[in-house]
Amino acid sequence: SGYHILKILDVKGQQHVDVTEVNAKHILIKTSIILSDERAKKMLEQFIDDIASGKSTIEELAKEHSDDPGSAIKGGELGWNDPSIYVPAFKNALAQLENEQISKPFRSSHGWHIVKLLGERKVDATDNFIKNRAYQMLFNRKFSEESEAWTKELRGNAYIEILD
């Protein structure tokens, strides 16, 4: 009962976990009372035309127009990430792209997007998998202990009077 510190001396039959990460750039346009879905989609279609004709780059357009403040200052770049961290619409759009290809405008729960896939890579995520598994095991154990103590406390404080 409590926390323990363990030193692992040897591991046999360890599970190896590979994750495919993607690097992408995107532009997000959030709709509002002033900016309709149709207008946001048309803006993004115009951005695609400007990129294709060489008038602008996705980096310039993201810095100027993207409503995602975290990626806009980096030219729309999201960095290397596991696609499962993104909302389903964004993840699905990335899955359909080839390297250096720009998607058609699509809607997600955050707004309207276009995304450019910069690349894919396989990464060894065994360490993260093991850490997450250990965390879950400790969390589950502590959670069940704490929930049991909480229910005992509730029962101890409860007062029930039966009236005939």
Side-chain angles (χ1 to χ4, degrees):
S1 298
Y3 293 98
H4 303 277
I5 298 175
L6 304 173
K7 180 179 180 182
I8 299 173
L9 301 174
D10 190 21
V11 177
K12 294 180 183 177
Q14 183 177 3
Q15 184 178 2
H16 185 73
V17 179
D18 282 335
V19 174
T20 301
E21 291 184 337
V22 294
N23 191 8
K25 291 184 179 184
H26 83 128
I27 299 174
L28 167 66
I29 303 295
K30 292 183 179 179
T31 56
S32 64
I33 296 170
I34 300 167
L35 183 63
S36 68
D37 278 344
E38 189 60 36
R39 179 71 183 122
K41 186 177 178 184
K42 285 186 191 288
M43 280 177 64
L44 290 171
E45 288 170 347
Q46 183 61 50
F47 293 165
I48 292 170
D49 292 342
D50 290 348
I51 293 166
S53 68
K55 283 184 186 176
S56 298
T57 64
I58 192 166
E59 293 84 6
E60 294 167 347
L61 293 169
K63 285 179 182 176
E64 189 175 335
H65 298 285
S66 184
D67 291 329
D68 179 6
S71 69
I73 59 172
K74 298 184 281 183
E77 184 147 356
L78 298 169
W80 291 101
N81 290 300
D82 181 356
S84 65
I85 69 164
Y86 299 123
V87 294
F90 198 90
K91 179 180 143 185
N92 294 340
L94 277 171
Q96 296 172 5
L97 296 176
E98 299 291 327
N99 282 347
E100 299 300 319
Q101 184 182 5
I102 298 177
S103 71
K104 293 179 181 172
F106 64 94
R107 185 158 179 49
S108 79
S109 57
H110 299 292
W112 283 88
H113 303 263
I114 57 172
V115 62
K116 178 180 182 179
L117 180 63
L118 301 176
E120 294 181 339
R121 70 179 182 187
K122 287 221 182 267
V123 177
D124 181 9
T126 306
D127 289 341
N128 285 342
F129 176 76
I130 291 170
K131 285 178 187 174
N132 288 339
R133 200 166 115 210
Y135 174 81
Q136 281 296 344
M137 289 170 65
L138 290 172
F139 178 82
N140 290 340
R141 185 182 309 147
K142 281 292 185 187
F143 180 79
S144 64
E145 289 173 6
E146 289 299 321
S147 65
E148 194 174 308
W150 179 67
T151 53
K152 283 181 182 178
E153 182 181 335
L154 281 178
R155 286 183 188 139
N157 292 337
Y159 175 75
I160 299 172
E161 183 178 344
I162 299 175
L163 301 173
D164 287 331

